Amino acid sequence: MVTQNTVISFEQLVQDFDSLFRQRVFRLVTLDWYDAPNEREPYARFLAGEPASLAWREPWKRLVRDVRTSGRIMQRVHVVTEPVNDYIRFELLHVYPANVDAGEDVRVMGMTAAEKAGFVLWDFWLFDDDVAALLSYEIDGSVKSVQLTDGPIILPLLRDARDKALNLATPLAEYATEHNITNERTRAA
């Protein structure tokens, strides 16, 4: 059990992930760029217009399938700046579809709508309604720290953010279609 605030490494979060929830896990994603080591090569290939092997998505797909097979729910909302940048196009076209195929409910919403809704725009995982992992990032998009908390002040804010985000966000495929998200590179204005 977490007691208020515990700082752990991102690697520890990954290691403990499956044991942190019994029924439901939710992820709010709020940045327009992340530096994930496993994405670097596929993203570079995407930018170069080259096909990328989706084998690098297999570990996450396996985790999602295992969670879904156990009867638990995985949900995610990515809040994006519109129009989306190349990294977000990569996520929407080449990362998240694998999540959806494996059983994760992935939705997207614009930053303006999120700000109007007035919920917290922090990156976090919410495990059931009991524990949250608050993520902070370096300026380059790499994970700076992970803080586990079961604090009675923060959890209601995160539950509210989850509920509002899920209610307002659009399912991934529908968002990509509505916003004409394609493999074509974003052009600078």
Side-chain angles (χ1 to χ4, degrees):
M1 174 177 231
V2 176
T3 55
Q4 290 290 325
N5 300 303
T6 304
V7 176
I8 62 171
S9 68
F10 183 73
E11 293 75 18
Q12 188 68 48
L13 177 63
V14 170
Q15 182 180 332
D16 294 347
F17 184 85
D18 194 49
S19 67
L20 290 169
F21 64 105
R22 294 170 310 286
Q23 298 171 359
R24 176 184 191 187
V25 62
F26 171 80
R27 171 82 161 102
L28 186 67
V29 186
T30 63
L31 299 181
D32 288 326
W33 166 259
Y34 293 88
D35 181 24
N38 67 326
E39 289 184 348
R40 290 178 189 149
E41 187 272 334
Y43 181 56
R45 292 181 65 83
F46 172 75
L47 290 176
E50 301 170 4
S53 165
L54 295 179
W56 68 280
R57 297 298 301 141
E58 286 306 316
W60 184 255
K61 286 173 64 175
R62 191 170 28 261
L63 173 71
V64 173
R65 279 191 213 106
D66 289 349
V67 166
R68 296 297 295 139
T69 299
S70 72
R72 296 177 290 170
I73 297 168
M74 288 188 79
Q75 299 168 304
R76 171 188 309 257
V77 171
H78 195 146
V79 177
V80 300
T81 300
E82 295 169 329
V84 300
N85 64 23
D86 287 330
Y87 178 79
I88 296 300
R89 279 187 321 100
F90 168 71
E91 293 283 298
L92 299 181
L93 296 173
H94 298 281
V95 176
Y96 293 149
N99 298 29
V100 172
D101 289 345
E104 185 176 351
D105 175 7
V106 178
R107 303 177 194 192
V108 185
M109 71 182 302
M111 181 65 73
T112 302
E115 289 171 344
K116 284 181 183 175
F119 60 85
V120 296
L121 288 171
W122 300 326
D123 268 46
F124 66 86
W125 285 99
L126 182 59
F127 300 96
D128 295 320
D129 284 344
D130 315 311
V131 175
L134 306 175
L135 294 101
S136 63
Y137 295 88
E138 300 289 355
I139 197 156
D140 69 357
S142 60
V143 175
K144 179 179 182 178
S145 68
V146 177
Q147 179 181 341
L148 287 182
T149 183
D150 60 1
I153 295 172
I154 191 74
L155 286 176
L157 294 173
L158 301 181
R159 288 191 294 264
D160 177 65
R162 176 199 59 206
D163 296 345
K164 285 181 179 177
L166 287 169
N167 185 50
L168 296 170
T170 304
L172 175 65
E174 186 179 329
Y175 183 91
T177 299
E178 286 177 1
H179 293 269
N180 196 31
I181 308 297
T182 67
N183 281 314
E184 186 175 321
R185 290 215 46 191
T186 304
R187 290 177 177 54

